[in-house]
Amino acid sequence: MRILIVEDEPRIAADVKRGLEHAGYVADVVGDGEAAWFQAEVETYDAMVLDLGLPRLDGLSVLRRLRAAEIVLPVLILTARDGWRERVEGIDAGADDYLQKPFRMEELLARLRAILRRSAGHASPVLRAGAVELDTRTRAVSVAGRPMNLTALEYRLLAFLLHRQGQVVAPGDLLDHLYDTGSDREANALEALLTRLRRKLGAPVIETRRGHGYLVPKDGLDVGDADA
Ligand code: CA
């Protein structure tokens, strides 16, 4: 999962980036509204953390532009303490949730998990496919109840495909969601990563659709869907 952080306060931006990376996401940071709009238009993200008080173009305007352009990216807004007016405006402008400053990283992560799974149509924080189970709260992955040790990149790949369960994901799409702007993205590296992940899981959950991409099929065991 790849997140765009829009925050002009360098210390907060760095803390949030570190927190997200620690939690298994990749994150890019921009410090003003114009850059946020540009980045959201040209790059692919799974969610945006958007401060409202920004230079050049304020956060509400960024949000209104996104929604006017029918960019459905889930957005978590960061608002000032006692800023009830901007929270109301933000939600009306299409924000999926808000967080009041100052906040705990744990709360930001919980709200982000919730908007990500809602946008993917999952009600449960635990994603399942066949014998594979992934808990988005703890990042614990198990196969038939046996805990698995995955690298950060392997986890990100599996989590992304599980969020998109039942959809074929093109390799280019997958690369966009796995790496931040700075990294070079190699299709070969993706193949190697998939091979390692499949070997570790030892369960045939990730299918290759030749010429189209990768798929974790729906198998009726997705508790999230059953609850929805
Ligand atoms: Ca600000």
Side-chain angles (χ1 to χ4, degrees):
M1 297 277 157
R2 186 174 174 210
I3 315 294
L4 180 60
I5 303 164
V6 188
E7 170 60 76
D8 58 321
E9 172 104 34
R11 191 185 48 81
I12 299 178
D15 284 352
V16 172
K17 183 174 164 71
R18 199 174 320 112
L20 289 180
E21 286 172 351
H22 188 70
Y25 300 96
V26 278
D28 293 321
V29 173
V30 292
D32 70 73
E34 286 289 355
W37 167 242
F38 175 78
Q39 195 77 3
E41 247 199 339
V42 300
E43 291 286 341
T44 314
Y45 293 97
D46 297 291
M48 179 189 281
V49 176
L50 177 66
D51 182 34
L52 291 187
L54 292 170
R56 298 183 67 187
L57 182 68
D58 66 89
L60 272 179
S61 304
V62 173
L63 191 52
R64 291 195 181 109
R65 274 199 202 178
L66 287 176
R67 296 319 187 210
E70 290 175 10
I71 297 175
V72 293
L73 180 72
V75 175
L76 174 65
I77 53 173
L78 303 178
T79 67
R81 192 206 303 269
D82 300 329
W84 68 268
R85 237 175 259 279
E86 59 177 14
R87 290 202 290 278
V88 171
E89 283 181 323
I91 289 165
D92 283 343
D96 296 87
D97 202 356
Y98 67 86
L99 191 58
Q100 200 170 311
K101 287 178 174 178
F103 54 82
R104 298 278 311 175
M105 195 60 207
E106 289 85 348
E107 186 176 358
L108 184 145
L109 291 172
R111 291 186 181 277
L112 197 57
R113 283 194 295 274
I115 65 175
L116 284 168
R117 69 174 186 254
R118 281 201 298 268
S119 79
H122 300 279
S124 166
V126 180
L127 306 176
R128 291 185 181 86
V132 175
E133 195 171 285
L134 180 147
D135 190 329
T136 58
R137 296 163 300 186
T138 57
R139 299 177 61 210
V141 174
S142 63
V143 179
R146 200 160 34 91
M148 283 279 133
N149 256 329
L150 300 185
T151 65
L153 204 51
E154 289 163 355
Y155 174 86
R156 221 179 283 148
L157 173 61
L158 182 63
F160 185 74
L161 288 172
L162 284 174
H163 270 95
R164 300 283 176 98
Q165 198 171 5
Q167 297 170 32
V168 178
V169 181
D173 237 10
L174 208 44
L175 289 169
D176 282 344
H177 288 267
L178 289 180
Y179 299 98
D180 58 22
T181 310
S183 359
D184 51 322
R185 306 165 194 186
E186 288 275 337
N188 308 347
L190 181 63
E191 269 301 329
L193 178 65
L194 270 156
T195 304
R196 280 201 307 277
L197 178 60
R198 281 175 168 142
R199 199 179 301 139
K200 267 194 191 176
L201 294 175
V205 285
I206 305 170
E207 296 180 359
T208 298
R209 294 291 159 91
R210 210 157 289 287
H212 296 281
Y214 308 98
L215 166 76
V216 171
K218 289 239 184 219
D219 57 12
L221 290 172
D222 187 334
V223 170
D225 280 353
D227 285 348

